Amino acid sequence: MSQPLSGIIPPLVTPLRDRDTLDCAGLERLIEHLIGGGVSGLFILGTTGEGPSLSYRLRRELIERTCKQTAGRVPVLVGITDTSFTESVNLAKHSAEAGATHVVTAPPYYFPAAPPEMQEYIQDLVAEMPLPMFLYNMPGLTKVSFEIDLVRRALDMPGVCGVKDSSCDMIYFHRLIEVAKQRADWSVLVGPEELTAEAVLLGGHGGINGGANLNPRLYVEMYQAAAAQDLKRTRELHAQVMQLAGSIYTVGRHKSAIIKGIKCGLSLLGICEDHMAEPFQRFREPERAMIRERLVKLGLIS
Amino acid sequence: MSQPLSGIIPPLVTPLRDRDTLDCAGLERLIEHLIGGGVSGLFILGTTGEGPSLSYRLRRELIERTCKQTAGRVPVLVGITDTSFTESVNLAKHSAEAGATHVVTAPPYYFPAAPPEMQEYIQDLVAEMPLPMFLYNMPGLTKVSFEIDLVRRALDMPGVCGVKDSSCDMIYFHRLIEVAKQRADWSVLVGPEELTAEAVLLGGHGGINGGANLNPRLYVEMYQAAAAQDLKRTRELHAQVMQLAGSIYTVGRHKSAIIKGIKCGLSLLGICEDHMAEPFQRFREPERAMIRERLVKLGLIS
Amino acid sequence: MSQPLSGIIPPLVTPLRDRDTLDCAGLERLIEHLIGGGVSGLFILGTTGEGPSLSYRLRRELIERTCKQTAGRVPVLVGITDTSFTESVNLAKHSAEAGATHVVTAPPYYFPAAPPEMQEYIQDLVAEMPLPMFLYNMPGLTKVSFEIDLVRRALDMPGVCGVKDSSCDMIYFHRLIEVAKQRADWSVLVGPEELTAEAVLLGGHGGINGGANLNPRLYVEMYQAAAAQDLKRTRELHAQVMQLAGSIYTVGRHKSAIIKGIKCGLSLLGICEDHMAEPFQRFREPERAMIRERLVKLGLIS
Amino acid sequence: MSQPLSGIIPPLVTPLRDRDTLDCAGLERLIEHLIGGGVSGLFILGTTGEGPSLSYRLRRELIERTCKQTAGRVPVLVGITDTSFTESVNLAKHSAEAGATHVVTAPPYYFPAAPPEMQEYIQDLVAEMPLPMFLYNMPGLTKVSFEIDLVRRALDMPGVCGVKDSSCDMIYFHRLIEVAKQRADWSVLVGPEELTAEAVLLGGHGGINGGANLNPRLYVEMYQAAAAQDLKRTRELHAQVMQLAGSIYTVGRHKSAIIKGIKCGLSLLGICEDHMAEPFQRFREPERAMIRERLVKLGLIS
């Protein structure tokens, strides 16, 4: 039985040249930037990666290029969440063939499945998976949660290897930790970076944090301090993470502000283009100027 | 400038043999059952059709077979709602090539677009559409509405031909009617069948009503009575529609009860199979026996 | 067994001179304005009346003065909704002593009661009521609905005399009509004025419509046309009601815009002061000027 | 300028003999049980105290008796949240006269105030307060939050002394901590006990935790360990708190399960009666037997 994944696993933005064209050089630079920053894995096609907004063709291309560039240095996790069971299976198979190490699935997000329907869905899905599967709890966008009872039953599914929780509900997260103690190979990871410090201090395995795209080193160090139970250092680094999130994610007025802010920042750092897939559009001026100014304040550009 | 669509346009269930295999004979029988019942058009790949749960391959097959079987007798409307702009365009092009007459699009349902983002999305999408496009308002599943302001601006887009409203909010619906008066070719259709009587009495063009799969004649007659302003007859038929909905949609305990009830009923009527795509499963006993009993009471089977 | 209430029963604004002082002369003028406009009853201390925002002392004064001024010409309904059972009973007793004819209660609005808890609550409450009681369904503000099953059980409670539904959910409203057919003395009234036409056309007994404060005659005539099944006239008057609501309720940007608009309008009509109880404040300029302009367009002032 | 409140301040249940009669002996025992357990203050008339469900007469009696029994040994905080501004002021004045030390107010919970309306509301309210006032953020029951911007502006109001946050949103909580650093006398306290450990580890001042009614010593020790930055001990005690909450709050199926569980437990501990005010009813068998069994497992009764 394998070790649980732990540490910082950034949810990569998808570098785009236009809505259906990958920024291939940008993707390579982004991967090197992150691996160079000490991350423990890469997660593509998640929410930050605009997964559901991309064509299937582009998703397959992204999977292939990411696995090739990573070349086994760290695990590659692929989001296969889909409203169509068949398309989720197709993506998972493609991921395995390309060399990915894990898949990640949130509930199907058009029809809200009731708990017994969700239970049956996960059982059927995991049976078709060629790779270990994370449950991705994201009720803000999928409308429904993976209930704790479902997670408890998933302990009996060898194909499930843990949970990523982006619910922002730390009571739920602590319940996950309790459940996961029964599977030594399970990993419980938290989504929002503002919560990674406490998640790790109280038993979580790490974070899938969007801001790590911009400054992977900061997030890795915060994780390490928390894992080492160095409370003083954890608080200092947590304050820096709060500052990054509070300054970069509050430029736009809509919920899309987080992804737009990260992509815009990466573009200003010279790492990749910031084009977005619909229904979003990248920041133009004056938002771009505000992001630049804040990156300067954060010491990320001069 | 063409006439607005009016009357009953059923949102077809998708007859399935398993999650990725069409019940082709069932589909043909269903189409004949509906056209024989006097409907004014066919709408495939909507919510009742489990559109988002189907693979793209199956969606394309369904479009082709429906258009071929219909053979121009009534308009064919195709749901192209998708979280990926590119896939929506692909489906629309495929629909036009197959002989469909309209496309129907709800907001992308993973990321909730803010009003200005939605405005830009619709402008960009309609520019790529080879067929007239309906806006499909369905906030219960897509999280966001098409705001009245957006609909008003869509008056200036020749490619938009109307709105289907499944919000259950009749105040919103009446506002739509007001707006649509400025475009003689626009059609405003209502989703839930319990609301079709009042929608048509007060100026709407018809209904896209799931129960019409089971008893198209009833819904067509109710529409005709309301369009003829025969209030007494409309109230009688509305009461029958309420009875059908109240008995067939309340067997299951989850939100999926409506589609499950219709599919189960169609199977009991001998029209098509009732397999469903995940995350749903068809009714088994004892729910199936309850649906049978209620169909008997409704006089639909003996 | 008495006749069900029917027709237009305006939910009176509460004329205030400051947060805890009644505008007594304004209240008298408002009552005469409404009774002169042909309304079938008066409803005080509802949502439009800012009931929950007023001190108990002021509520009691309002009940007394309204009953005295009305002097039996039309029924007086009093909102006794409260989070405290004991205070609801106190208000109901005071209402009976003052000469009111009905009480109206929505679910307690701090703790959301689950259906069996609500069932017990209503049973216990009605047992203490000295007057016939309406159930007031208002989930937008109380968080929970009176489920149809609860309403069905209330058929067996002689103290319940009907339902006022402000849910905006006409499917629910039609179910209420079906249930109420079993109690010849029950009345089913609709809240939002935009829905009164269809409610009455399809079997409802009338409307508790805020806009009737401004123009009672219009709402009374619309009700009469719908009750007489004069569809053409109903549509004309419904369009006028939509116009009033669409112009007066859209001046402010918050949910409070409806009550603020009505109060401001009444002040401009010279009927009563427009002071509000916290958490709201009356419209100041430029909103007041916009309301004036719109009242001119509606022909209500010159 | 005074020191900020810190530590565990239990939100007392209100011991009742029936809906409008205080269990006076039970209240005295409860207060002694809590002060004996080392708590830093007492909070009455909050959510756990069923504040909004009680008559004003009973609320006043509770305030008086609590202050008298406490006799200055610890601060007494009184919930004055109300939909009526005037009644909130009345309760605050009564609290000051009775000897309470602080008042606590959540947003008025019938009409949802928009941010600028809330800002004005708080400014006006604090001007009338005879005691330092806590803002109580509880969007699950009041529908609206105190936005961070409002909290920031409250820094300039000398009458505001901190925030109690029961939103379960730890990102929001961390933002509160940042803001509160600018007022040395401000205290930021967390509601749900499952979150007190991390709240204090990362800079919060303590918890207002319902479970402390049952076992004040446990919560006080957890707070002390976290305040002393003893991470190992904090994790052990946090696990015990999770176990208490997970076993006592999950007996009922509705949201009322938490308060019902605590009251039932206190009754089984012989501290006070467990009668509840409507819309709730106390646990009867078999729920009571389940609570007894779980208290045994937790070692709280034998």
Side-chain angles (χ1 to χ4, degrees), chain A residues 168-171 174-175 178 192 194-195 197-198 200-203 229 231-232 235 238 242-243 245-246, chain D residues 168-171 174-175 178 192 194-195 197-198 200-203 229 231-232 235 238 242-243 245-246:
Chain A
C168 294
D169 176 351
M170 290 306 288
I171 302 179
H174 296 315
R175 297 270 171 238
E178 288 178 345
E194 296 92 335
L195 304 174
E198 63 213 89
V200 175
L201 286 173
L202 293 174
Q229 310 211 353
L231 191 53
K232 184 162 171 294
R235 285 172 72 159
H238 176 245
M242 289 295 295
Q243 201 188 353
Chain D
C168 294
D169 176 350
M170 290 305 290
I171 301 179
H174 296 315
R175 297 269 171 238
E178 288 178 346
E194 297 93 334
L195 304 174
E198 63 214 88
V200 176
L201 287 173
L202 293 173
Q229 309 212 353
L231 190 55
K232 186 162 168 293
R235 286 173 71 158
H238 177 245
M242 289 296 294
Q243 202 188 350

Side-chain angles (χ1 to χ4, degrees), chain C residues 12-209:
Chain C
L12 276 71
V13 303
T14 300
L16 292 175
R17 291 175 54 195
D18 63 38
R19 78 166 66 106
D20 201 30
T21 309
L22 211 51
D23 169 13
C24 300
L27 176 64
E28 290 175 16
R29 280 192 297 271
L30 177 61
I31 292 171
E32 295 309 316
H33 170 63
L34 296 174
I35 294 180
V39 303
S40 302
L42 302 176
F43 172 42
I44 56 173
L45 292 174
T47 300
T48 305
E50 299 170 87
S53 303
L54 305 173
S55 74
Y56 286 87
R57 188 205 58 68
L58 193 144
R59 291 190 222 186
R60 287 191 299 268
E61 183 186 352
L62 175 68
I63 294 167
E64 290 158 22
R65 289 187 184 272
T66 302
C67 291
K68 194 173 164 205
Q69 179 73 21
T70 303
R73 288 177 287 172
V74 294
V76 173
L77 292 72
V78 180
I80 60 159
T81 309
D82 208 288
T83 54
S84 161
F85 186 99
T86 301
E87 299 295 353
S88 283
V89 173
N90 290 346
L91 273 178
K93 288 184 178 160
H94 194 82
S95 301
E97 286 159 15
T101 57
H102 301 76
V103 293
V104 181
T105 195
Y109 42 86
Y110 187 73
F111 291 118
E117 293 167 336
M118 186 74 82
Q119 175 72 27
E120 209 163 341
Y121 173 82
I122 290 296
Q123 274 169 331
D124 290 353
L125 187 66
V126 79
E128 307 279 340
M129 289 295 104
L131 293 173
M133 182 173 95
F134 275 94
L135 301 175
Y136 176 7
N137 193 51
M138 181 46 138
L141 292 175
T142 64
K143 293 173 276 189
V144 289
S145 273
F146 290 121
E147 299 206 339
I148 290 291
D149 267 358
L150 181 147
V151 177
R152 202 173 280 123
R153 284 176 198 178
L155 289 170
D156 295 331
M157 304 177 193
V160 174
C161 64
V163 187
K164 180 206 167 177
D165 177 34
S166 293
S167 67
C168 294
D169 176 349
M170 289 306 289
I171 302 180
Y172 176 87
F173 188 84
H174 296 316
R175 297 268 170 240
L176 288 181
I177 298 283
E178 288 177 348
V179 170
K181 281 180 184 157
Q182 297 168 56
R183 275 275 297 270
D185 62 327
W186 267 33
S187 174
V188 181
L189 302 164
V190 78
E193 56 218 72
E194 297 93 334
L195 304 174
T196 300
E198 62 213 272
V200 176
L201 287 173
L202 293 173
H205 295 83
I208 297 192
N209 304 148

Side-chain angles (χ1 to χ4, degrees), chain B residues 18-61:
Chain B
D18 62 38
R19 80 167 61 107
D20 201 30
T21 310
L22 212 51
D23 168 12
C24 300
L27 175 64
E28 292 177 14
R29 279 192 298 271
L30 177 61
I31 292 171
E32 295 308 318
H33 170 63
L34 296 173
I35 294 180
V39 304
S40 302
L42 302 175
F43 172 41
I44 57 172
L45 292 174
T47 300
T48 306
E50 298 170 86
S53 303
L54 305 172
S55 75
Y56 286 86
R57 188 206 57 68
L58 194 144
R59 292 190 219 186
R60 289 191 298 268
E61 184 187 350

Side-chain angles (χ1 to χ4, degrees), chain C residues 258-278:
Chain C
I258 295 178
I259 311 180
K260 288 180 180 175
I262 296 173
K263 275 201 142 172
C264 182
L266 285 168
S267 156
L268 289 163
L269 291 175
I271 292 174
C272 63
E273 294 199 31
D274 60 356
H275 198 92
M276 300 191 76
E278 283 88 357

Side-chain angles (χ1 to χ4, degrees), chain D residues 132-186:
Chain D
M133 181 173 93
F134 275 94
L135 302 176
Y136 176 7
N137 193 49
M138 181 44 137
L141 291 175
T142 64
K143 293 172 279 190
V144 288
S145 274
F146 289 120
E147 298 206 341
I148 290 291
D149 267 359
L150 180 147
V151 177
R152 200 171 283 124
R153 286 178 196 179
L155 288 170
D156 295 331
M157 303 178 194
V160 174
C161 64
V163 187
K164 179 207 168 180
D165 177 33
S166 293
S167 67
C168 294
D169 176 350
M170 290 305 290
I171 301 179
Y172 176 87
F173 188 85
H174 296 315
R175 297 269 171 238
L176 289 180
I177 298 283
E178 288 178 346
V179 171
K181 279 180 187 158
Q182 298 168 54
R183 273 275 297 268
D185 61 330
W186 267 33

Side-chain angles (χ1 to χ4, degrees), chain A residues 65-252:
Chain A
R65 288 186 184 274
T66 302
C67 291
K68 196 172 165 204
Q69 180 73 21
T70 304
R73 288 177 287 171
V74 293
V76 174
L77 292 72
V78 181
I80 60 159
T81 310
D82 207 290
T83 55
S84 162
F85 187 100
T86 301
E87 298 296 351
S88 282
V89 173
N90 289 347
L91 273 176
K93 288 185 177 161
H94 194 83
S95 302
E97 285 160 14
T101 57
H102 301 75
V103 293
V104 180
T105 194
Y109 43 85
Y110 187 73
F111 291 116
E117 293 167 337
M118 187 74 83
Q119 176 70 25
E120 207 165 342
Y121 174 81
I122 290 296
Q123 275 170 330
D124 290 354
L125 187 67
V126 78
E128 306 279 340
M129 289 295 104
L131 293 173
M133 182 172 95
F134 275 94
L135 301 176
Y136 176 7
N137 193 51
M138 180 45 136
L141 292 175
T142 65
K143 294 174 274 189
V144 289
S145 272
F146 289 121
E147 300 205 340
I148 291 290
D149 268 358
L150 181 148
V151 176
R152 202 173 280 124
R153 284 178 197 176
L155 288 169
D156 295 330
M157 304 177 193
V160 174
C161 63
V163 187
K164 179 207 168 178
D165 177 34
S166 293
S167 67
C168 294
D169 176 351
M170 290 306 288
I171 302 179
Y172 176 88
F173 188 84
H174 296 315
R175 297 270 171 238
L176 288 181
I177 298 282
E178 288 178 345
V179 171
K181 279 180 185 156
Q182 298 169 55
R183 274 274 298 269
D185 61 327
W186 267 34
S187 174
V188 181
L189 303 164
V190 77
E193 57 219 70
E194 296 92 335
L195 304 174
T196 299
E198 63 213 89
V200 175
L201 286 173
L202 293 174
H205 295 83
I208 298 194
N209 304 148
N213 279 283
L214 291 168
N215 188 359
R217 182 64 63 195
L218 168 63
Y219 292 75
V220 169
E221 287 178 0
M222 178 177 71
Y223 163 76
Q224 288 168 342
Q229 310 211 353
D230 179 346
L231 191 53
K232 184 162 171 294
R233 180 84 179 128
T234 303
R235 285 172 72 159
E236 287 166 13
L237 294 163
H238 176 245
Q240 290 181 39
V241 163
M242 289 295 295
Q243 201 188 353
L244 187 151
S247 59
I248 301 298
Y249 301 168
T250 54
V251 167

